[in-house]
Amino acid sequence: MAQVNDWKINLIAIYNDKLHDQLFVADGGTISMFQIHFGHITESLANPLNHWVINANQMINQIRLIRFKEDPALLIVDDGGDTTILLFQSNNLLRLPNVGSGAWGCAGASNGSQVAVSANSHEVTSWTFDVSGQPDVKQTLQGHQHNVPCIDFNGDGKYIASISIDSTIRTWDVHSGQPINSRILPTREWGWTVRWIPPESIDVVDKSEIEKLFPEFQRHVFGSLLDRALENDEGLYRGEVEYEGEEDGVVEFIGDDEDDFQDEIQDENDFHEDDDDDAMQHPKKSRCITLDSESDSNEFLLCTDFEHGFLFDNKLRCLCASTDIIPGLPQITPLMNAMRRICLSEYIPEMSMALMASTGLGRVAIVHLLKFHQGSEPYAMVTKGHIPFQDEIAPIIGMTISKHVSELNGMTFVRVYILYETKKLFCYEIRRSTSWNPLDFTGTQL
């Protein structure tokens, strides 16, 4: 492979044709496709099934599987600001107008008629395609003050979420191009990933049962109590919020009683700034800004920064947070240190599970999202394990998943593909336990 730079996002994608997984790997300015035969990974990677030169003069930053009209396709962005849609089943390339600077993030709507790209211009560009498959409507979404590494369409393609190095997360109306909500991440660290998730997919459990299973599980930080503890910008160890329970990666609340705790949540979640142009241009002045534009989506947003995960509701109110998702390693290379950030994420709604990868640390966290019956319906993110199970001391340059349905019990399981800078590819299966315990996940390397 070509030299891997530390700003690359995701260089692999997968398409499942019901018979095989077709793996796409970006190398420099080219794309290679491999047909994976399960249990024979090494042999599968001996020779590519197909090969495309996307741009001989630029290096690809990210590839993402999308639906284009009725066909599967790859959305590809590169250092030069070029965007390409590869219709790999028909060997056709559709090139979109250059966005003016290096492109990082890319996303496609599930309706097959919209794509979006984010760039170092601090802008997000979206295109809507006509019935012939040509770009018809272009929108430029402006407001971020720094580079935008990740964007995502919501389920029906009406809205885009973006996260930025400027520490803000924003939501946008695709049709009008207008912003809807904006807020600063609780930690004020660089933002790296954002994913819309359906709230009904989150497992609902009895909190008392969780406490029996995990005695160290106490009260999680919900709402934006974490925001208030971090207002002083002096780090994560202030006030009554402490980060403990590293083994499970949960955030615990230490201090006042439950009533005071819930009051803090309500006070913070009731806080909104008025619509203010100056605040939008200088988002550090406000933690959460709600604009005149309204969203009819009830979807949540799952986000990451350098080492934390956050769950926000559709108004960008923080529902829960998790820290130390991926523990550090005793020895890492300079490249691993430069790439140390959680900039790869996937959400599997059938399992109420997120995969969050620290590219520099070379590890992926399996994070279970939970909702409790009691009280004000608080949420939690619990880290249940990490892959790889053995130490592979190298940066991750790509992560992708394929979904499958078991012939034995009809339950969904996923195959997780991880590509390392050392050119090693690992594949794991993650299956949900059929027992009553929704937290019992298992993984097996293929």
Side-chain angles (χ1 to χ4, degrees), residues 62-77 81-87 94-99 103 105-119 123-130 133-141 150-154 156-161 172-175 177:
Q62 181 166 196
I63 62 177
R64 192 164 177 181
L65 184 74
I66 65 168
R67 176 187 169 197
F68 185 74
K69 298 304 178 182
E70 299 301 324
D71 299 316
L74 277 189
L75 185 58
I76 305 162
V77 294
D82 289 326
T83 302
T84 305
I85 297 175
L86 169 60
L87 295 158
L94 174 61
R95 300 189 186 275
L96 299 178
N98 190 284
V99 294
C106 57
S110 60
N111 58 27
S113 63
Q114 298 163 291
V115 301
V117 172
S118 61
E123 298 175 343
V124 178
T125 304
S126 70
W127 290 274
T128 301
F129 297 87
D130 60 24
Q134 295 301 311
D136 183 31
V137 178
K138 176 185 175 182
Q139 290 281 10
T140 302
L141 314 180
C150 189
I151 54 178
D152 199 36
F153 281 95
N154 80 317
D156 60 13
K158 291 182 179 180
Y159 308 106
I160 288 176
W172 313 81
D173 183 294
V174 177
H175 177 71

Side-chain angles (χ1 to χ4, degrees), residues 157-225:
K158 291 182 179 180
Y159 308 106
I160 288 176
S162 59
I163 197 165
S164 171
I165 300 303
D166 68 11
S167 304
T168 66
I169 174 175
R170 296 171 183 256
T171 55
W172 313 81
D173 183 294
V174 177
H175 177 71
S176 68
Q178 295 300 305
I180 301 172
N181 289 304
S182 174
R183 70 159 296 145
I184 301 171
L185 289 172
T187 53
R188 289 176 168 82
E189 292 183 358
W190 293 5
W192 284 104
T193 72
V194 59
R195 293 283 180 265
W196 294 92
I197 70 169
E200 65 273 11
S201 69
I202 299 177
D203 281 338
V204 180
V205 296
D206 190 297
K207 190 173 182 180
S208 63
E209 294 296 335
I210 303 301
E211 290 170 337
K212 290 177 185 176
L213 289 168
F214 302 98
E216 70 278 11
F217 181 93
Q218 296 181 19
R219 301 184 225 173
H220 291 64
V221 174
F222 304 111
S224 297
L225 182 62

